[in-house]
């Protein structure tokens, strides 16, 4: 299913990237024409078409940024190269937007003497940022990052547009400049918060996927008394306990510590962080409990096989002993010699079997199994 989804994402990205490339190339061509027209003080001819091309490219770039996150989540081997290509397209688009504003806004200022009411413009962007959410899941954060990248580009573009000539008075320009600096800092802060939230959520998701897959692998094993290659399973588990388990314990501890630090720093994405942190802690505890159960079961299997082996050995010894008790073979031995031979042979084997039986019965799982057996309908 993931392979089909990844194929669909890549196909869509190729189509959208091709269209963005066409829009950018067309915009660069027409901007060059109008720039030459402007240098000759002639009428500019392609503002509307350039506006359409750049607007369409902007919408497609939003989709591309979202699909980059999906490709990374689906573990595409070239996800980093794809993201780099999309960023290059975005940089070319942003450069054309700057040329567009310098070319056409300048003409509008000269021809229409247009003044911009910066108050509502800046307040609208500020309200938009302050009202945005963080999460709650990884896909939402990917989408929020892509959308904010576009918004932040727009806010940065205001720097060249917010000039004394675009306001009604020097006093207004000073006040709007202060508001703009505040808006830009808040936008950068949201960008940083989204980045840290995405990194934390991605790390947690990766660890949760690992823990889930490990538990599924353990549970899918045959844990009956017919279990084969118990020594191989035990060797694999001991190797994992000495290496992998410790590494993941450190990873989980780091995630829990990092989540707690983000909460204490009052990260705006606290609800999503707390939810993931607690989920990692719960999943880790479940995994540890399963590892303990696995270890106990392997020990029970070993004890059971030892007991069975000793019981079989005793049975074979009794059979051999029975065959040696032929009256003819005992004629040459006294009664005391026969008794001593029997005691020595039987007592050693009986003591070993009894020792293993007692050890096996001391295990809590034996009593649990016995109680379940006694409660079963066929034994009632």
């Amino acid at each position: 299913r993931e392979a089909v989804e990844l194929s669909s994402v890549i196909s869509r990205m190729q189509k959208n990237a091709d269209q963005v490339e066409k829009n950018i190339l067309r915009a660069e061509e027409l901007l060059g024409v109008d720039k030459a027209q402007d240098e000759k003080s002639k009428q500019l001819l392609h503002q509307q078409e350039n506006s359409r091309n750049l607007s369409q490219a902007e919408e497609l770039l939003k989709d591309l940024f979202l699909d980059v996150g999906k490709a990374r989540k689906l573990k595409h081997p070239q996800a980093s190269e794809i993201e780099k290509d999309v960023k290059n397209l975005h940089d070319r688009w942003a450069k054309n937007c700057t040329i567009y504003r310098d070319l056409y806004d300048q003409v509008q200022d000269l021809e229409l003497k247009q003044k911009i009411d910066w108050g509502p413009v800046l307040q609208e962007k500020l309200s938009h940022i302050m009202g945005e959410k963080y999460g709650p899941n990884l896909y939402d954060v990917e989408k929020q990052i892509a959308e904010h990248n576009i918004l932040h580009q727009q806010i940065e573009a205001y720097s060249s547009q917010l000039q004394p000539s675009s306001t009604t008075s020097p006093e207004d320009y000073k006040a709007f400049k202060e508001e703009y600096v505040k808006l830009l800092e808040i936008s950068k802060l949201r960008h940083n918060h989204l980045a840290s939230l995405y990194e934390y959520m991605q790390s947690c998701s990766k660890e949760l996927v690992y823990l889930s897959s490990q538990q599924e692998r353990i549970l899918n094993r045959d844990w009956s008394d017919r279990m084969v290659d118990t020594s191989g399973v035990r060797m694999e588990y001991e190797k994992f306990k000495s290496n992998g388990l410790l590494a993941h314990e450190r990873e989980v501890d780091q995630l829990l510590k990092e989540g707690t630090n983000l909460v204490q720093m009052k990260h705006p994405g606290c609800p999503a962080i707390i939810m993931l942190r607690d989920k990692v802690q719960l999943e880790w505890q479940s995994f540890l409990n399963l590892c303990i159960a696995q270890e106990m079961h392997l020990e029970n299997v070993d004890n059971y096989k030892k007991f069975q082996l000793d019981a079989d050995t005793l049975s074979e010894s009794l059979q051999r002993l029975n065959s040696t008790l032929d009256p003819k073979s005992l004629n040459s031995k006294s009664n005391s010699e026969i008794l001593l031979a029997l005691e020595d042979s039987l007592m050693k084997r009986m003591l070993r079997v009894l020792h293993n039986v007692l050890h096996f019965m001391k295990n809590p799982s034996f009593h649990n199994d016995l109680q379940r057996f006694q409660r079963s309908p066929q034994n009632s």
Side-chain angles (χ1 to χ4, degrees):
R1 191 179 66 179
E2 287 188 355
V4 174
E5 184 180 357
L6 181 58
S7 177
S8 176
V9 169
I10 296 302
S11 176
R12 183 171 60 245
M13 290 186 72
Q14 288 175 341
K15 180 181 176 181
N16 288 342
D18 289 343
Q19 185 58 52
V20 171
E21 179 79 19
K22 290 178 182 177
N23 289 134
I24 290 174
L25 288 173
R26 183 61 176 165
E28 288 173 348
E29 178 187 352
L30 297 182
L31 284 170
V33 172
D34 274 359
K35 192 172 182 180
Q37 289 287 100
D38 182 53
E39 290 172 354
K40 298 175 183 177
S41 299
K42 293 183 178 181
Q43 183 180 358
L44 305 186
L45 306 173
H46 303 293
Q47 181 177 0
Q48 287 187 346
E49 186 174 352
N50 282 330
S51 177
R52 284 195 303 270
N53 282 324
L54 294 174
S55 295
Q56 184 181 18
E58 179 181 6
E59 292 302 317
L60 293 176
L61 279 167
K62 289 181 182 179
D63 295 335
L64 281 170
F65 274 114
L66 289 175
D67 283 339
V68 164
K70 292 178 183 177
R72 189 178 290 280
K73 184 178 180 181
L74 293 169
K75 299 180 181 178
H76 190 284
Q78 295 178 313
S80 297
E81 289 77 4
I82 293 172
E83 183 177 13
K84 189 180 297 183
D85 291 340
V86 172
K87 286 182 177 179
N88 287 337
L89 283 175
H90 182 272
D91 291 343
R92 288 175 62 190
W93 170 81
K95 183 179 178 180
N96 286 332
C97 287
T98 301
I99 296 173
Y100 178 95
R101 286 188 298 270
D102 291 343
L103 187 60
Y104 299 116
D105 290 353
Q106 178 184 9
V107 173
Q108 287 181 358
D109 281 343
L110 291 173
E111 292 182 352
L112 303 177
K113 306 298 183 184
Q114 183 181 9
K115 301 296 181 182
I116 300 174
D117 189 359
W118 283 104
V121 172
L122 300 177
Q123 185 59 45
E124 187 271 332
K125 297 297 182 187
L126 180 61
S127 299
H128 182 77
I129 293 175
M130 300 303 290
E132 285 294 305
K133 297 180 179 179
Y134 289 83
N137 56 51
L138 189 61
Y139 172 76
D140 291 325
V141 176
E142 290 172 350
K143 184 177 179 182
Q144 289 157 6
I145 289 174
E147 291 174 346
H148 187 72
N149 283 340
I150 300 295
L151 178 63
H152 189 71
Q153 289 284 342
Q154 294 173 351
I155 293 173
E156 285 185 326
Y158 290 161
S159 178
S160 60
Q161 297 176 11
L162 181 54
Q163 301 296 331
S165 59
S166 67
T167 61
T168 55
S169 68
E171 291 76 15
D172 284 344
Y173 170 73
K174 182 179 179 181
F176 290 144
K177 192 69 175 177
E178 291 176 356
E179 287 184 35
Y180 171 74
V181 171
K182 177 184 176 182
L183 172 64
L184 187 62
E185 287 302 314
I186 290 175
S187 181
K188 289 178 180 178
L189 191 61
R190 174 168 170 77
H191 174 80
N192 293 337
H193 282 149
L194 283 171
S196 60
L197 179 60
Y198 178 79
E199 184 178 353
Y200 181 71
M201 294 182 77
Q202 192 176 45
S203 298
C204 286
S205 298
K206 182 179 178 182
E207 189 63 28
L208 286 170
V209 167
Y210 171 81
L211 293 175
S212 176
S213 65
Q214 287 296 308
Q215 290 182 80
E216 184 177 359
R217 186 178 66 84
I218 294 172
L219 291 171
N220 285 338
R221 274 206 173 105
D222 178 12
W223 292 104
S224 69
D225 56 1
R226 295 183 299 274
M227 184 180 189
V228 296
D229 192 25
T230 53
S231 59
V233 175
R234 175 173 287 281
M235 187 180 299
E236 177 189 332
Y237 173 69
E238 292 297 335
K239 183 179 179 182
F240 168 74
K241 189 167 68 171
S242 302
N243 299 298
L245 187 63
L246 293 175
H248 282 277
E249 183 178 29
R250 288 192 294 269
E251 178 68 20
V252 169
D253 287 343
Q254 179 61 31
L255 288 173
L256 297 180
K257 181 180 179 181
E258 185 179 345
T260 300
N261 289 340
L262 289 171
V263 171
Q264 291 175 347
M265 293 167 59
K266 301 188 184 302
H267 191 287
C270 272
I273 292 170
I274 292 172
M275 179 187 69
L276 262 180
R277 181 196 63 184
D278 293 348
K279 189 174 182 179
V280 168
Q281 188 172 28
L282 183 63
E283 197 71 14
W284 175 248
Q285 190 58 54
S286 297
F287 177 61
L288 286 181
N289 291 339
L290 189 59
C291 287
I292 293 171
Q294 176 183 226
E295 191 167 0
M296 289 180 62
H297 189 81
L298 287 171
E299 184 178 349
N300 290 340
V301 170
D302 287 344
N303 291 334
Y304 173 74
K305 289 190 174 182
K306 289 177 183 177
F307 163 71
Q308 204 163 31
L309 179 62
D310 288 339
D312 292 342
T313 303
L314 177 61
S315 177
E316 292 174 2
S317 298
L318 290 172
Q319 289 177 4
R320 286 196 302 269
L321 184 62
N322 184 55
S323 66
T324 60
L325 292 178
D326 184 4
K328 294 180 180 180
S329 66
L330 299 177
N331 290 335
S332 61
K333 296 182 180 180
S334 66
N335 290 339
S336 59
E337 288 175 333
I338 294 172
L339 288 173
L340 285 172
L342 284 172
E343 288 176 0
D344 183 60
S345 176
L346 287 174
M347 287 302 294
K348 286 182 179 178
R349 286 167 175 77
M350 287 297 295
L351 285 172
R352 185 163 63 250
V353 173
L354 285 172
H355 172 78
N356 287 332
V357 169
L358 290 171
H359 179 77
F360 189 67
M361 292 178 64
K362 286 180 182 179
N363 197 300
S365 64
F366 169 79
H367 296 284
N368 294 335
D369 292 340
L370 181 62
Q371 289 174 3
R372 284 198 297 271
F373 175 78
Q374 291 171 341
R375 290 197 298 269
S376 64
Q378 61 268 33
N379 295 299
S380 61

